[in-house]
Amino acid sequence: MKILVVIPARGGSERLPGKNIRLLGGKPLIVWSIDVVRDVCAICDTLVSTDHLEIAQIAKQAGALVPWMRPPELATNAARSVDVAIHALNWYEITYGKVDGVLLLQPTSPFRSRKTVVEGIKLFKDNGFKPVLAISPTHIHPMWTFKLKNGYLSPFMREYSNFNCRSQDLPDAYIINGSFYLAHPQQLRKQESFIDETTIPLIIDSPKEALDIDTEWDWRVAKCCIQDHIP
């Protein structure tokens, strides 16, 4: 089995400028995602797709493949990660041959573990190459969320508007944590998505491992996790 890892690392970031090359625990953020898949036997290459020269240089020094700079049309705020992944996949298969899966690793999830990566790849193989997606329990249950309607609170889920029930009586609810997306090339090109009705869940219970750094607050949380040795 051959899995191509694609790490999307655009230079521009409005909410957290320069995040991909900020130092976290003594190394650039993007290097965490490169290091975690190093020597995982199913992975044939780790390709970093970037439009930023410094990110490209750091990624190459960390051992990643950076064969080109990302096209401008895929380097905007509106560009989708799945389009970036398909662009990288198409180039790689033309250059190096077919792969069995594309694993998208966002650099903003530095604490995903090697164990989780290996487990996700095993789920992919054991389930006939169906897509695998990392999820985590949500601390804000969707049945207890609201929207504003004419200046008043209105439940998002009207059928579950009884807010007198206990939280432990609610069904389990999960959110996509952004740390692991794995799909077969054929499915990825057809659906233009890492998610479909056959998606297999990779459940991550650790809040640290599920952390997605998108804001300055998230960055502070990540630094605290390292400084306080939070497992």
Side-chain angles (χ1 to χ4, degrees):
M1 183 169 60
K2 294 173 63 178
I3 303 293
L4 171 65
V5 172
V6 176
I7 301 177
R10 192 169 61 89
S13 175
E14 294 181 351
R15 284 179 288 190
L16 195 60
K19 63 183 178 183
N20 289 317
I21 56 177
R22 281 196 185 191
L23 293 182
L24 179 65
K27 63 183 179 181
L29 183 63
I30 191 172
V31 176
W32 287 77
S33 294
I34 296 171
D35 284 349
V36 77
V37 294
R38 197 182 307 279
D39 300 325
V40 174
C41 61
I43 292 172
C44 57
D45 258 313
T46 299
L47 189 155
V48 170
S49 174
T50 185
D51 62 330
H52 193 277
L53 288 174
E54 189 174 359
I55 293 175
Q57 182 180 12
I58 290 171
K60 287 178 182 178
Q61 290 173 347
L65 176 66
V66 190
W68 27 255
M69 300 304 288
R70 190 191 299 183
E73 65 271 18
L74 293 178
T76 67
N77 285 335
R80 302 185 304 168
S81 293
V82 66
D83 294 326
V84 172
I86 292 173
H87 171 261
L89 167 66
N90 290 341
W91 177 87
Y92 190 88
E93 288 198 324
I94 289 171
T95 308
Y96 294 106
K98 298 294 184 181
V99 297
D100 300 303
V102 179
L103 173 55
L104 182 76
L105 297 181
Q106 297 185 155
T108 49
S109 300
F111 299 132
R112 77 172 70 76
S113 67
R114 180 187 175 92
K115 179 181 177 182
T116 290
V117 171
V118 172
E119 180 184 351
I121 293 174
K122 185 176 186 298
L123 282 172
F124 181 66
K125 181 180 179 181
D126 291 349
N127 287 277
F129 294 171
K130 291 184 176 67
V132 177
L133 177 70
I135 60 173
S136 298
T138 176
H139 66 284
I140 301 175
H141 202 285
M143 294 180 184
W144 283 0
T145 57
F146 295 88
K147 57 186 174 182
L148 296 181
K149 185 176 181 180
N150 298 323
Y152 297 98
L153 290 176
S154 177
F156 258 105
M157 306 177 71
R158 176 63 62 180
E159 64 272 32
Y160 299 107
S161 58
N162 179 13
F163 296 99
N164 293 321
C165 67
R166 304 180 304 164
S167 60
Q168 57 265 42
D169 294 331
L170 296 172
D172 292 338
Y174 299 89
I175 57 170
I176 298 171
N177 61 45
S179 66
F180 188 102
Y181 303 80
L182 177 55
H184 188 274
Q186 182 179 351
Q187 183 270 344
L188 190 62
R189 291 186 176 110
K190 180 180 179 180
Q191 302 287 346
E192 294 187 353
S193 175
F194 281 90
I195 309 170
D196 66 15
E197 66 279 0
T198 67
T199 299
I200 306 298
L202 173 61
I203 300 175
I204 297 177
D205 291 315
S206 164
K208 177 182 177 181
E209 191 170 346
L211 179 64
D212 181 14
I213 300 174
D214 195 41
T215 64
E216 193 66 46
W217 178 260
D218 298 330
W219 184 262
R220 292 179 183 181
V221 172
K223 289 177 66 176
C224 288
C225 286
I226 292 176
Q227 293 166 358
D228 296 342
H229 304 289
I230 296 174

